[in-house]
Amino acid sequence: MKFISAALLLASAPGALSFSAPAKSEPMPLSNTDASGNTVDPLLIRAARGEKTERVPVWMMRQAGRHIKEYRDLCKKYPTFRERSEIPDVAVEVSLQPWRNYQTDGCILFSDILTPLPGMGVEFDIDEKVGPVVKPMRTYEDVEKMHLIDPSSAAPFVAEALRTLREEVSPETAVLGFVGCPY
């Protein structure tokens, strides 16, 4: 509760709700097109909209890829989770591994819900045996170190990886990303 109260105080500070101008980047396409130029809505997206579909869509959470030998080999070269999720080419490769192996209906970005934190002034690490490690915020001064995030400068690797994934998978495949929230 203290964190939420402190976050509300921070958000009510003058200028707290202003963002810097986003960096210029290529917009994500609003629809997929097949080789003939026809609009294609992936099965997973149609199901998420509540439309009747020909079958139940399938996708794998990133944790499900841990059984894949290529993933374990890649972990030897990039031993930390943050390397694997914040280097766009590596995040794309890890994201594509389950999709290539199983041709699922969705390809989820290899990332973590904590990814926005450094862009807000909160560093974290992910210990492979313990999980996320964040220094506790115990004082108002700790909370004052936080700031609003500018996603385009704090996590440009996310947009780059999502754009690359959209190019790599078939138009019938949904590309899934996700974000976190500090409370």
Side-chain angles (χ1 to χ4, degrees):
M1 186 62 165
K2 290 180 184 177
F3 179 76
I4 293 172
S5 301
L8 291 173
L9 287 172
L10 178 65
S12 65
L17 298 179
S18 62
F19 290 91
S20 59
K24 299 288 182 196
S25 63
E26 294 293 318
M28 294 296 287
L30 297 177
S31 62
N32 302 328
T33 54
D34 64 15
S36 302
N38 300 316
T39 299
V40 176
D41 288 330
L43 176 70
L44 186 59
I45 300 301
R46 289 185 282 130
R49 277 190 243 157
E51 296 175 20
K52 187 166 178 69
T53 58
E54 57 273 24
R55 62 179 172 78
V56 175
V58 176
W59 64 282
M60 294 183 104
M61 293 180 62
R62 66 163 175 81
Q63 294 90 338
R66 292 180 180 165
H67 72 280
I68 299 172
K69 182 183 181 325
E70 296 91 344
Y71 176 76
R72 292 191 310 271
D73 291 344
L74 192 125
C75 289
K76 293 173 186 167
K77 184 172 182 183
Y78 301 97
T80 71
F81 182 94
R82 289 192 61 187
E83 286 176 304
R84 294 188 299 273
S85 65
E86 295 178 14
I87 299 172
D89 291 343
V90 178
V92 166
E93 173 57 27
V94 173
S95 302
L96 288 173
Q97 288 172 353
W99 180 79
R100 279 195 301 254
N101 283 302
Y102 306 110
Q103 290 298 297
T104 53
D105 298 305
C107 180
I108 189 165
L109 173 65
F110 184 81
S111 189
D112 191 82
I113 61 171
L114 299 179
T115 297
L117 289 182
M120 299 168 62
V122 179
E123 285 301 322
F124 76 95
D125 194 14
I126 297 182
D127 182 302
E128 299 294 324
K129 294 186 176 155
V130 176
V133 179
V134 180
K135 181 181 172 191
M137 294 187 174
R138 291 193 160 76
T139 67
Y140 184 74
E141 289 75 31
D142 290 339
V143 174
E144 282 184 313
K145 293 175 187 172
M146 290 181 59
H147 51 81
L148 291 178
I149 187 172
D150 175 2
S152 57
S153 64
F157 49 88
V158 172
E160 183 179 340
L162 286 170
R163 269 192 292 282
T164 303
L165 283 172
R166 179 70 273 155
E167 293 168 4
E168 293 288 327
V169 300
S170 66
E172 298 82 15
T173 303
V175 172
L176 307 167
F178 58 94
V179 297
C181 188
Y183 53 90

